[in-house]
Amino acid sequence: MTQPDDLLPIGLEDALPARAAAITSAMRQVLQSMDAHGYDRVRPPLVEFEQSLAGRMEGVATRRMVRFTDPESLRTLALRSDMTVQVGRIAATSLRDAPRPLRLCYAGEVATIKADQLDPARQRLQLGAELVGSDSVAAAAEAVSVALDALEAAGVDGLSVDFTMPDLVDTLAEEALPLDMEQREAVRRELDMKDAGGLKAVGGEAYLPLLYAAGPMEQALEKLSALDAGGVLASRTAALREVAAILGDRVRLTLDPSERHGFGYQSWFGFTLHSDKARGALGRGGTYAIKGSDEAATGFSLYMEPILEALGKGEAEQRDTVFLPLGHDRSVAASLRADGWRTRAAVNAEDDAATLGCTHRLENGEAKPL
């Protein structure tokens, strides 16, 4: 019987058996794929000191974190909203003497105090991998390749990758298309909104061509090269071409140079993963620097909800299950499970195999179809 206090807060939900099984299966396949590429799994704590979570990456907003006071230290604690920053802390502290490049992967729940307009969820399962010690072209190509392999291992198809250039405005604003610091933030904001009128209003008219330099990879790169004032983007466009060449034609590649997708800590390279079977992005990644150690790193994060949407998972799927009547031979049941069968044992004489969702019944030492 439902009671008023049984209602969950907005943005939180239970994963019932079918969905929980789909989540567990996809998570296992993603992690196994990362492990096959040499990424070792770490498991950071759910809660840390607020300043630690905010102090390892640029642009991490503590206002989005669920915060509270630690009764032991009387310092402010926070629930993690992004596991990437925790991996950065681990790399800079406990594993600071480990050989580089250091390859780490993770899976765990993250939470925010308030949902955003595009995603009502306040708790998500985040999976990812980080290559610490390099932000080179080879590292960028590896991050994209490993992310694609992980998604394909989970059964996702119809994949595409959208490349981004997170520090594009800062690079151009230094000399080629000068802007002061206040203008830079305004220009970045209007580029994020794809607002040509707003861009002009904040003094960013010279940046208007960036709104139209998006599309299929090679075409977008040609547009970007054509408006590259002073050649300041030449090394970046060359690097993007090299990453694209390494990936080949395994997936469709696009470029939106001014897109930032909310990761304020990324540097020269970013990417977003899509499937034509899911509405939202399956994951995002790119290059960044770990504050404190000043190490370069490259990585990506995947999110389970859009992955399940792309897989079409979460609905109840009937699995072969053997009903074990009262007084069954336990050694036979154990042998069935060892052979891969799933069993459900009766605990009352009235228990019914079909009602319990079983497909078979143990009779005379054999699993017989209902």
Side-chain angles (χ1 to χ4, degrees):
M1 184 180 206
T2 303
Q3 300 181 31
D5 289 342
D6 290 333
L7 296 175
L8 292 172
I10 294 173
L12 304 178
E13 63 179 9
D14 295 314
L16 299 182
R19 193 167 188 82
I23 289 171
T24 300
S25 175
M27 181 174 68
R28 183 184 301 117
Q29 290 159 341
V30 167
L31 288 172
Q32 285 176 346
S33 179
M34 294 174 184
D35 180 77
H37 281 279
Y39 286 76
D40 297 318
R41 186 177 179 184
V42 292
R43 297 189 63 187
L46 180 63
V47 176
E48 289 196 32
F49 290 119
E50 176 192 27
Q51 289 305 312
S52 176
L53 289 171
R56 287 291 176 183
M57 304 290 181
E58 293 286 353
V60 175
T62 59
R63 65 180 181 277
R64 299 191 71 235
M65 299 178 187
V66 179
R67 292 167 288 176
F68 52 97
T69 301
D70 179 13
E72 294 293 330
S73 66
L74 300 181
R75 293 176 60 189
T76 301
L77 300 178
L79 293 178
R80 64 190 179 204
S81 60
D82 179 5
M83 293 184 71
T84 304
V85 297
Q86 295 185 292
V87 176
R89 174 186 55 75
I90 290 171
T93 55
S94 302
L95 295 179
R96 63 182 177 277
D97 296 325
R100 266 45 175 178
L102 176 65
R103 291 175 169 87
L104 301 174
C105 65
Y106 58 85
E109 301 289 339
V110 296
T112 56
I113 196 166
K114 187 176 181 180
D116 60 42
Q117 294 179 341
L118 299 178
D119 185 359
R122 293 163 59 194
Q123 178 180 340
R124 296 185 291 175
L125 175 59
Q126 180 184 359
L127 309 96
E130 310 298 330
L131 191 157
V132 179
S134 178
D135 61 355
S136 66
V137 167
E142 178 172 319
V144 180
S145 297
V146 172
L148 291 172
D149 286 351
L151 290 169
E152 290 172 350
V156 181
D157 56 18
L159 292 167
S160 63
V161 182
D162 186 28
F163 288 174
T164 69
M165 304 171 71
D167 68 349
L168 180 62
V169 171
D170 285 331
T171 301
L172 291 172
E174 284 298 321
E175 292 183 10
L177 302 174
L179 294 172
D180 60 35
M181 295 306 295
E182 186 175 336
Q183 280 184 303
R184 291 184 196 186
E185 185 53 42
V187 166
R188 281 193 288 261
R189 183 180 64 249
E190 300 306 327
L191 285 172
D192 288 344
M193 300 294 292
K194 310 299 184 190
D195 187 343
L199 202 55
K200 290 180 180 179
V202 298
E205 188 168 354
Y207 288 78
L208 280 172
L210 294 180
L211 292 176
Y212 311 105
M217 187 68 182
E218 192 54 44
Q219 295 177 24
L221 281 174
E222 289 177 3
K223 293 178 183 177
L224 192 61
S225 297
L227 59 88
D228 182 11
V232 295
L233 301 180
S235 63
R236 283 169 170 74
T237 54
L240 289 177
R241 282 194 169 90
E242 193 173 343
V243 173
I246 293 171
L247 294 172
D249 58 1
R250 66 177 294 184
V251 294
R252 184 169 63 91
L253 300 177
T254 59
L255 171 66
D256 188 345
S258 64
E259 176 63 40
R260 291 188 300 158
H261 58 236
F263 284 163
Y265 51 75
Q266 287 185 341
S267 55
W268 73 271
F269 174 73
F271 64 95
T272 304
L273 300 150
H274 297 278
S275 166
D276 57 17
K277 296 186 172 89
R279 288 164 293 179
L282 306 182
R284 296 184 170 96
T287 57
Y288 58 95
I290 301 171
K291 288 176 67 177
S293 65
D294 295 323
E295 272 196 291
T298 309
F300 63 88
S301 294
L302 306 175
Y303 295 99
M304 186 55 67
E305 291 304 313
I307 291 175
L308 291 185
E309 182 184 351
L311 293 173
K313 293 289 182 70
E315 300 300 323
E317 297 179 6
Q318 191 174 42
R319 298 166 58 190
D320 286 345
T321 304
V322 182
F323 178 74
L324 307 175
L326 288 175
H328 65 272
D329 188 323
R330 295 182 179 277
S331 64
V332 172
S335 179
L336 286 171
R337 287 189 290 271
D339 289 339
W341 285 94
R342 191 170 185 241
T343 65
R344 276 191 176 140
V347 294
N348 297 297
E350 297 80 13
D351 288 345
D352 178 74
T355 302
L356 293 176
C358 298
T359 58
H360 295 69
R361 181 185 179 91
L362 182 62
E363 293 181 8
N364 301 319
E366 295 182 3
K368 296 186 176 181
L370 294 180

